[in-house]
Amino acid sequence: ALDALNQQSHKSPSLYIMELESSQQIYPNPKDLQLASNENGIRFHFSAPYFTNPTHLRYQYKLKDNEWRTPQVNSVEYPFLADGEYTFSVRASVDGQNWTEAETVSFYIEPPFQKSVLFFALISGLAILLTAYLARLRIFKVREREMEMRQSQQKMSDLEHQALGALMNPHFIFTTLNSIQMFFNTHEKQ
């Protein structure tokens, strides 16, 4: 009878993951969950009701494929998890050798908006628009400079033409007057 009592006292208890508590909400009896990017601080509460000798009850947990760890209490907190897929596993034992089958919760933390495809598409679109705008602005300024250069060259050409015209007018007048004087001089003699 003592052996039967000893075997019963080392029998593994039933294990339950009671809730997953995120920074935004509490999920009782969690299974496959999808959490928002701002719900990346989470805590698991688990329990293995064992009333025969509760001081001998031990838990072990792991996240993803990490090593089993032993907590001091029946909850585990992860304050800052990155986005991605996770599987949390926990198991219990009363003798440290015979463990219950692991209870698991799979959950996914969505990436923040700045890591989403939509964000990259928006940023790429804005970069393309900005590049096109800057290229167009540069082309406009180059054309404006070319126009100013043409206008200043035209003004220079007009001023040169006026200067040449001003130089030629006195010469033309002088030649014309000489021709007229010569005409009078030749007709006076006749």
Side-chain angles (χ1 to χ4, degrees):
L2 189 57
D3 283 339
L5 186 60
N6 262 348
Q7 282 180 347
Q8 192 139 30
S9 69
H10 290 297
K11 184 180 174 194
S12 295
S14 298
L15 177 65
Y16 305 98
I17 298 177
M18 304 303 288
E19 64 185 22
L20 180 149
E21 179 182 344
S22 77
S23 53
Q24 303 291 319
Q25 187 173 341
I26 295 175
Y27 300 94
N29 300 318
K31 289 299 172 200
D32 295 330
L33 295 174
Q34 185 159 342
L35 305 173
S37 62
N38 61 347
E39 292 186 280
N40 63 343
I42 59 175
R43 177 182 298 204
F44 290 96
H45 298 276
F46 40 86
S47 178
Y50 184 71
F51 304 109
T52 307
N53 196 352
T55 58
H56 285 100
L57 185 61
R58 300 285 178 255
Y59 298 101
Q60 285 188 334
Y61 70 93
K62 65 180 179 175
L63 189 64
K64 286 191 172 187
D65 295 325
N66 295 335
E67 297 289 320
W68 287 102
R69 295 175 182 240
T70 305
Q72 299 299 319
V73 293
N74 64 336
S75 67
V76 176
E77 183 173 5
Y78 295 98
F80 302 105
L81 288 175
D83 56 286
E85 291 187 34
Y86 293 92
T87 301
F88 175 78
S89 302
V90 63
R91 63 186 183 179
S93 174
V94 290
D95 61 5
Q97 294 181 7
N98 298 313
W99 294 93
T100 62
E101 186 175 324
E103 281 290 313
T104 62
V105 173
S106 296
F107 60 99
Y108 175 75
I109 299 176
E110 295 175 350
F113 179 69
Q114 63 268 23
K115 284 186 174 182
S116 70
V117 173
L118 178 61
F119 179 76
F120 285 119
L122 287 173
I123 292 299
S124 299
L126 285 174
I128 290 169
L129 287 174
L130 182 63
T131 303
Y133 172 75
L134 292 175
R136 198 169 165 92
L137 185 65
R138 176 78 176 133
I139 290 169
F140 176 76
K141 287 193 181 218
V142 167
R143 285 183 181 164
E144 193 176 76
R145 256 192 230 135
E146 286 175 356
M147 181 71 81
E148 287 173 1
M149 292 283 284
R150 272 191 244 132
Q151 286 175 348
S152 64
Q153 285 175 349
Q154 182 66 36
K155 282 183 183 178
M156 288 294 287
S157 177
D158 289 345
L159 288 173
E160 285 176 5
H161 187 32
Q162 284 177 352
L164 283 175
L167 285 175
M168 287 181 71
N169 281 342
H171 184 267
F172 178 73
I173 292 170
F174 178 74
T175 307
T176 305
L177 288 175
N178 276 342
S179 298
I180 292 172
Q181 186 179 9
M182 211 166 147
F183 178 74
F184 281 119
N185 285 341
T186 52
H187 278 312
E188 271 182 20
K189 290 182 184 177
Q190 290 177 351

Short mmCIF file of all heavy atoms in Angstrom, two decimals, residues 131-143:
data_model
loop_
_atom_site.label_atom_id
_atom_site.label_comp_id
_atom_site.label_asym_id
_atom_site.label_seq_id
_atom_site.Cartn_x
_atom_site.Cartn_y
_atom_site.Cartn_z
N THR A 131 12.14 61.76 -56.60
CA THR A 131 13.20 61.76 -57.60
C THR A 131 12.71 62.40 -58.90
O THR A 131 13.41 63.22 -59.50
CB THR A 131 13.69 60.32 -57.88
OG1 THR A 131 14.13 59.74 -56.63
CG2 THR A 131 14.81 60.28 -58.88
N ALA A 132 11.49 62.05 -59.32
CA ALA A 132 10.93 62.63 -60.54
C ALA A 132 10.74 64.14 -60.36
O ALA A 132 11.06 64.92 -61.28
CB ALA A 132 9.60 61.96 -60.87
N TYR A 133 10.27 64.56 -59.21
CA TYR A 133 10.08 65.99 -58.95
C TYR A 133 11.41 66.73 -59.00
O TYR A 133 11.52 67.79 -59.61
CB TYR A 133 9.39 66.19 -57.59
CG TYR A 133 9.33 67.64 -57.18
CD1 TYR A 133 8.43 68.52 -57.78
CD2 TYR A 133 10.18 68.13 -56.18
CE1 TYR A 133 8.39 69.85 -57.40
CE2 TYR A 133 10.14 69.45 -55.81
CZ TYR A 133 9.25 70.32 -56.42
OH TYR A 133 9.21 71.63 -56.06
N LEU A 134 12.43 66.18 -58.32
CA LEU A 134 13.74 66.83 -58.30
C LEU A 134 14.36 66.87 -59.69
O LEU A 134 14.98 67.87 -60.08
CB LEU A 134 14.67 66.13 -57.30
CG LEU A 134 14.28 66.29 -55.83
CD1 LEU A 134 15.19 65.46 -54.94
CD2 LEU A 134 14.30 67.75 -55.40
N ALA A 135 14.19 65.80 -60.48
CA ALA A 135 14.71 65.78 -61.84
C ALA A 135 14.00 66.84 -62.68
O ALA A 135 14.64 67.57 -63.45
CB ALA A 135 14.54 64.40 -62.45
N ARG A 136 12.71 66.91 -62.54
CA ARG A 136 11.92 67.91 -63.30
C ARG A 136 12.31 69.32 -62.89
O ARG A 136 12.43 70.21 -63.74
CB ARG A 136 10.44 67.65 -63.03
CG ARG A 136 9.52 68.26 -64.00
CD ARG A 136 8.13 67.68 -63.76
NE ARG A 136 7.15 68.47 -64.43
CZ ARG A 136 6.72 68.24 -65.65
NH1 ARG A 136 7.19 67.21 -66.31
NH2 ARG A 136 5.82 69.02 -66.20
N LEU A 137 12.51 69.54 -61.61
CA LEU A 137 12.94 70.85 -61.12
C LEU A 137 14.31 71.21 -61.68
O LEU A 137 14.53 72.34 -62.11
CB LEU A 137 12.96 70.84 -59.59
CG LEU A 137 13.28 72.14 -58.89
CD1 LEU A 137 12.19 73.17 -59.17
CD2 LEU A 137 13.41 71.91 -57.39
N ARG A 138 15.20 70.25 -61.71
CA ARG A 138 16.55 70.48 -62.25
C ARG A 138 16.47 70.82 -63.74
O ARG A 138 17.13 71.76 -64.21
CB ARG A 138 17.42 69.23 -62.02
CG ARG A 138 18.77 69.32 -62.60
CD ARG A 138 19.69 70.16 -61.73
NE ARG A 138 21.02 70.12 -62.30
CZ ARG A 138 21.75 71.19 -62.48
NH1 ARG A 138 21.31 72.37 -62.13
NH2 ARG A 138 22.94 71.09 -63.00
N ILE A 139 15.68 70.08 -64.48
CA ILE A 139 15.51 70.34 -65.92
C ILE A 139 14.94 71.73 -66.12
O ILE A 139 15.39 72.49 -66.99
CB ILE A 139 14.63 69.25 -66.57
CG1 ILE A 139 15.38 67.93 -66.62
CG2 ILE A 139 14.16 69.67 -67.95
CD1 ILE A 139 14.52 66.74 -67.01
N PHE A 140 13.95 72.11 -65.32
CA PHE A 140 13.34 73.44 -65.43
C PHE A 140 14.38 74.53 -65.19
O PHE A 140 14.44 75.51 -65.92
CB PHE A 140 12.18 73.56 -64.43
CG PHE A 140 11.56 74.92 -64.39
CD1 PHE A 140 10.71 75.34 -65.40
CD2 PHE A 140 11.83 75.79 -63.33
CE1 PHE A 140 10.14 76.59 -65.37
CE2 PHE A 140 11.27 77.04 -63.30
CZ PHE A 140 10.42 77.46 -64.32
N LYS A 141 15.21 74.36 -64.16
CA LYS A 141 16.23 75.36 -63.84
C LYS A 141 17.28 75.45 -64.95
O LYS A 141 17.73 76.54 -65.29
CB LYS A 141 16.88 75.06 -62.50
CG LYS A 141 15.95 75.36 -61.35
CD LYS A 141 16.67 75.36 -60.04
CE LYS A 141 15.65 75.65 -58.97
NZ LYS A 141 16.13 76.48 -57.93
N VAL A 142 17.67 74.29 -65.51
CA VAL A 142 18.64 74.30 -66.61
C VAL A 142 18.05 75.03 -67.82
O VAL A 142 18.71 75.87 -68.45
CB VAL A 142 19.07 72.86 -66.98
CG1 VAL A 142 19.79 72.81 -68.30
CG2 VAL A 142 19.93 72.28 -65.87
N ARG A 143 16.81 74.75 -68.15
CA ARG A 143 16.16 75.42 -69.28
C ARG A 143 16.02 76.92 -69.00
O ARG A 143 16.19 77.74 -69.90
CB ARG A 143 14.79 74.80 -69.55
CG ARG A 143 14.89 73.47 -70.22
CD ARG A 143 13.53 72.92 -70.55
NE ARG A 143 13.65 71.62 -71.19
CZ ARG A 143 12.68 70.77 -71.32
NH1 ARG A 143 11.47 71.07 -70.87
NH2 ARG A 143 12.87 69.61 -71.91
#
